[in-house]
Amino acid sequence: MAYFEMVCIECGKAHDMSRPAYACASCGNLLEIRLDPRTALDRVSKSDMRKRALSVWKYRELIPVGVSSPPISMFEGGTPLIHCTRLGSEYGLKHLYVKFDGTNPTGSFKDRGMTVGITKAKELGMKRVTCASTGNTSASLAAYAGRAGLECVVLIPEGQVALGKLAQAMMHGATVVSIKGNFDQALDVVMKSSEKLGMYVLNSVNPFRIEGQKTAAYEICDQLDGTSPEFLYIPVGNGGNSAAYWKGFAEFEALGLTSGLPMIRGIQAEGAAPIAKMFSSGTQTLEPVNRPDTVATAIRIGNPANWKKTVRAIKESGGKASTVSDQEILSAQKSLAKLEGIFAEPAGAAALAGILKDLEDGALDASSHVVCISTGHGLKDPDIAVSQSSKPRTIEPTIDALSALLEGVR
Ligand code: F0G
């Protein structure tokens, strides 16, 4: 096997990595990149890799871009793994860690995939890049395209993208196109028009995106001193990130850089849960949800493009996918912010909602070692945050007025 190869997840057909490709030329299924664990660390020793600072490009030799391609980077990755002792004692969970990927340059995990995807776009000589997005992908793509000097076209579902994300895509100079329809329809237009319009697609069907995102799993193992957690809770929308994490853990284990593998618990919002439904009903194929709806707009997706990859990943890990209600998401969002100082957007709190639900249902033992993935920053969606909080109180500018107010609060 070559150092890296790009193959179909179903029929195994190998594809040329020097040309844009998002689906198998023979059977139309998803593509993935495989690396050969025996040769993967030929270019760098484990101890040299260990000495580098935590970031996506710490793992450069495990990322399939040419050695002479300069990374288009804004120092993404290297995000904190926070031991949540206050949340843990509130809910009786001793070993609860939150991987807060909202601290990436544009405020979400998408930057991990985008630094690799845009570096690949430059390598391929593409001039124009595109994506459909519920918001974060468009914000990230617009930023990295700006930095790389590429034209950027983003398609978003009309009226369904949180304000902060929209502001980012516009500020970074993308052509922002509002589609009269939902995310799934926007992605359909992107996939069908990209070749004709000379656009490189940077949705998570692009296997190079996944190669950047898998580094979050590598980081967790490094942050846990060469071990994996027992459970990984993660929100699932289009299904790319959960598959990326599993790939990262499995590769690190095959390379002897971590011991053990986590069980993946994928969390979907009740109103947009076609993957969770597959697990509860035992069906083998996805039945799309026609009108997906949830307060967590980032994961308002009814027809996840990566469902095959993520279902395979979750099953291989021995895990499952399940749902949480909007109310549970908002309550988890508040707990994270109040008890731990972690301000996540609603989708970034969905995994914690899943943990709390499983604890209550007895599906998760209180002694378990659990990592909760928080995918995006709360400032992305200020409207939700403000609508969920008590309003500031207005007083006269005097000590007495302040003191009276604080008396009332006590
Ligand atoms: N969390 C956040 C904050 C997201 O923005 C997304 C996806 C997910 C979780 C789900 O990840 O799709 O890989 O399963 N956002 C995409 C976007 C769809 O367009 O920004 P997934």
Side-chain angles (χ1 to χ4, degrees):
M1 179 184 169
Y3 194 80
F4 291 110
E5 59 182 22
M6 184 161 73
V7 298
C8 170
I9 64 164
E10 287 284 329
C11 73
K13 181 185 165 71
H15 286 67
D16 181 0
M17 284 175 48
S18 64
R19 282 214 291 255
Y22 323 103
C24 177
S26 293
C27 68
N29 272 293
L30 294 165
L31 298 175
E32 71 177 353
I33 292 165
R34 291 193 186 144
L35 92 161
D36 180 0
R38 280 164 309 159
T39 56
L41 287 177
D42 282 356
R43 295 190 210 157
V44 63
S45 72
K46 288 180 192 177
S47 63
D48 280 353
M49 188 180 270
R50 256 186 222 117
K51 282 183 210 142
R52 298 176 186 160
L54 206 65
S55 80
V56 167
W57 294 100
K58 169 179 181 176
Y59 310 102
R60 198 191 157 118
E61 289 79 7
L62 308 179
I63 295 174
V65 291
V67 275
S68 51
S69 294
I72 308 293
S73 172
M74 292 193 280
F75 306 102
E76 45 295 305
T79 58
L81 183 70
I82 303 165
H83 188 189
C84 291
T85 49
R86 294 196 71 213
L87 250 179
S89 65
E90 176 95 5
Y91 297 98
L93 197 58
K94 252 198 189 151
H95 312 287
L96 172 63
Y97 293 83
V98 169
K99 179 73 170 162
F100 189 29
D101 248 7
T103 62
N104 272 300
T106 77
S108 85
F109 72 94
K110 305 288 179 179
D111 297 343
R112 292 181 182 277
M114 227 43 98
T115 183
V116 174
I118 286 285
T119 301
K120 185 68 191 177
K122 289 288 274 190
E123 196 178 284
L124 293 171
M126 302 303 293
K127 300 280 181 268
R128 192 188 248 182
V129 291
T130 190
C131 71
S133 180
T134 57
N136 281 323
T137 303
S138 61
S140 183
L141 180 60
Y144 282 84
R147 192 160 170 78
L150 300 176
E151 185 190 343
C152 177
V153 181
V154 302
L155 274 67
I156 55 171
E158 187 182 28
Q160 291 173 37
V161 168
L163 193 63
K165 304 174 189 181
L166 189 59
Q168 288 177 292
M170 295 191 303
M171 272 305 277
H172 291 306
T175 301
V176 180
V177 185
S178 216
I179 293 285
K180 291 180 183 163
N182 60 27
F183 167 85
D184 304 303
Q185 292 164 304
L187 183 57
D188 196 45
V189 175
V190 161
M191 297 314 297
K192 287 179 177 149
S193 62
S194 66
E195 199 175 339
K196 185 170 175 212
L197 301 177
M199 305 191 290
Y200 187 52
V201 178
L202 278 158
N203 279 99
S204 52
V205 288
N206 183 321
F208 292 92
R209 275 270 314 275
I210 303 297
E211 294 302 298
Q213 288 172 212
K214 73 182 182 183
T215 60
Y218 295 169
E219 286 184 11
I220 290 173
C221 299
D222 280 348
Q223 287 168 311
L224 294 175
D225 295 325
T227 62
S228 301
E230 286 172 87
F231 292 94
L232 188 95
Y233 279 75
I234 182 166
V236 176
N238 221 11
N241 209 29
S242 29
Y245 268 90
W246 180 243
K247 189 173 196 289
F249 283 114
E251 285 177 357
F252 238 44
E253 207 222 11
L255 293 166
L257 291 166
T258 189
S259 60
L261 289 168
M263 207 175 258
I264 309 271
R265 298 242 166 124
I267 305 298
Q268 296 206 288
E270 269 173 9
I275 291 175
K277 194 166 172 223
M278 285 181 69
F279 280 82
S280 61
S281 65
T283 48
Q284 301 301 312
T285 49
L286 185 100
E287 227 177 85
V289 171
N290 286 331
R291 284 193 187 76
D293 193 22
T294 164
V295 69
T297 52
I299 50 173
R300 194 184 274 172
I301 294 173
N303 190 15
N306 291 300
W307 71 267
K308 279 191 183 169
K309 271 190 188 177
T310 202
V311 168
R312 185 187 66 179
I314 294 171
K315 283 188 175 163
E316 272 178 25
S317 81
K320 62 171 185 173
S322 56
T323 63
V324 288
S325 69
D326 278 2
Q327 213 37 55
E328 287 163 335
I329 290 173
L330 294 175
S331 161
Q333 186 192 21
K334 266 196 173 166
S335 298
L336 262 180
K338 241 178 116 167
L339 296 176
E340 298 291 353
I342 299 170
F343 187 18
E345 65 168 292
L352 178 64
I355 291 172
L356 302 183
K357 193 172 176 184
D358 276 0
L359 270 174
E360 212 174 287
D361 295 348
L364 178 68
D365 197 88
S367 64
S368 309
H369 285 73
V370 182
V371 168
C372 171
I373 305 303
S374 185
T375 42
H377 202 285
L379 287 173
K380 295 271 193 178
D381 195 346
D383 295 325
I384 281 292
V386 170
S387 72
Q388 294 302 309
S389 309
S390 43
K391 306 287 170 282
R393 272 165 290 175
T394 308
I395 57 166
E396 293 302 323
T398 66
I399 298 169
D400 283 351
L402 180 59
S403 150
L405 182 139
L406 294 180
E407 276 303 314
V409 169
R410 237 183 266 147

